[in-house]
Amino acid sequence: MKATEDVRARAERIRSISWTQSMDHIYSRVLLMREYLRRAALVVGDEQPAGWPFADLAAVVTPAVRADPVLVAEVARVVRDAGQFTPIPDTCVAALHWARLAADRELPWPDPFEPLLLMYERGGGFTFNDAGMIEVDLVGVPRRKPVDYLSATPIGSLDAAFLAEADAEFERKLRAKRAPAAPAAPAFTRTDGRLVVELRGVLDQSGLDTVRSVLRLSPRGDLARVRAAEFGDRVLADGAGELTFWRNSAELWSITLDYRAGLAESELAAIDSDIERATAATGLAVVSQRRFTPQS
């Protein structure tokens, strides 16, 4: 029977997941989580079922269609024994019920659990951070209402080649952005200096807007885009320096000030004061502050 074969094939696939956490596929895993959320939203529409966004989507469509309970219990046990706790085992069980439903009838939606299972296979599960976001390899993905995901852009492909290229492109851009944020060996000239303030915390759009406002930065980047690293900048009067706000990871940020020799200490003190106000207003914590002075 096709339904039985499809469910058993999916169960075997879940049993084969290693669940070893890996940071090798950050970008593609975030893309896959977002695609799951988009597809799940297509299924539930305006409703928000219990457990959203990791709900039993087959039960939303037809509660009576269920996978074999013995197989369901076995898969849930295997995933829990691998150290994965709610809601990850629940998503694996829900994937079995969906396979049973899809084998029974032709459905108008793409399989929502396929991208989620691919995400698991590319580096393990996910967690929830202190801000309540879905955290995939330190990248926070907002938990929103289903309707908010309906307009999301579909993933380009679920093919391994597409996902590998997405990861490679992300790494190339990340390497290009890392140097200004946390230079290992700053190469300053006799006329240059740099102030680097590293921060830790979670920023939503409101918090980001507050930082930009206090520091008087022109907006750059989009929080929803994982690739985005620069989120605002400002050129000081007379071109004496440039202030820039960077995202290094989901909860790590930095402010850099590159300045010319002769920049008044009062200007530096004013920027320090602005940074203190920005962190106090948003809850960001200063991790370190380093100043590289002009070479003598």
Side-chain angles (χ1 to χ4, degrees), residues 4 37 64 107 110 113 159 171 182 196 202 224 226 229 238-239:
T4 301
L37 294 169
L107 299 172
F113 294 100
D159 290 344
E171 286 298 326
V196 179
V202 176
V226 179
D238 299 323

Side-chain angles (χ1 to χ4, degrees), residues 108-161:
W109 314 284
D111 183 349
F113 294 100
E114 180 61 23
L116 194 61
L117 294 179
L118 278 172
M119 192 204 80
Y120 293 154
E121 290 168 334
R122 293 180 73 79
F126 60 88
T127 59
F128 299 116
N129 63 26
D130 292 340
M133 302 177 80
I134 304 163
E135 191 167 281
V136 179
D137 299 337
L138 303 181
V139 177
V141 179
R143 281 197 284 181
R144 298 189 175 113
K145 296 178 181 178
V147 67
D148 295 326
Y149 295 112
L150 291 175
S151 59
T153 303
I155 194 169
S157 171
L158 297 181
D159 290 344

Side-chain angles (χ1 to χ4, degrees), residues 173-188 194 196 246 248 254 256 258 290:
K173 293 194 175 185
L174 188 61
R175 284 194 295 270
K177 289 293 187 181
R178 272 178 184 154
F188 300 130
R194 167 171 283 189
V196 179
W246 304 90
N248 303 335
S254 61
T256 59
D258 291 299
R290 295 171 291 160

Side-chain angles (χ1 to χ4, degrees), residues 185-249:
F188 300 130
T189 68
R190 292 175 61 87
T191 58
D192 289 340
R194 167 171 283 189
L195 174 69
V196 179
V197 181
E198 295 176 321
L199 310 166
R200 181 184 297 276
V202 176
L203 277 186
D204 57 13
Q205 188 62 50
S206 175
L208 176 60
D209 291 341
T210 297
V211 171
R212 288 168 171 168
S213 175
V214 172
L215 298 180
R216 302 185 299 285
L217 304 176
S218 300
R220 298 282 185 272
D222 180 351
L223 279 177
R225 295 181 62 85
V226 179
R227 298 184 185 187
E230 182 182 349
F231 283 88
D233 61 7
R234 169 166 63 97
V235 176
L236 305 186
D238 299 323
E242 183 176 23
L243 193 67
T244 311
F245 186 54
W246 304 90
R247 176 171 65 183
N248 303 335
S249 70

Side-chain angles (χ1 to χ4, degrees), residues 33-70:
M33 173 59 78
R34 289 177 173 166
E35 179 64 9
Y36 163 77
L37 294 169
R38 186 190 74 84
R39 293 186 181 193
L42 291 175
V43 175
V44 304
D46 293 334
E47 301 296 325
Q48 185 162 322
W52 173 262
F54 302 107
D56 184 347
L57 299 177
V60 172
V61 180
T62 307
V65 178
R66 304 277 82 187
D68 174 40
V70 175

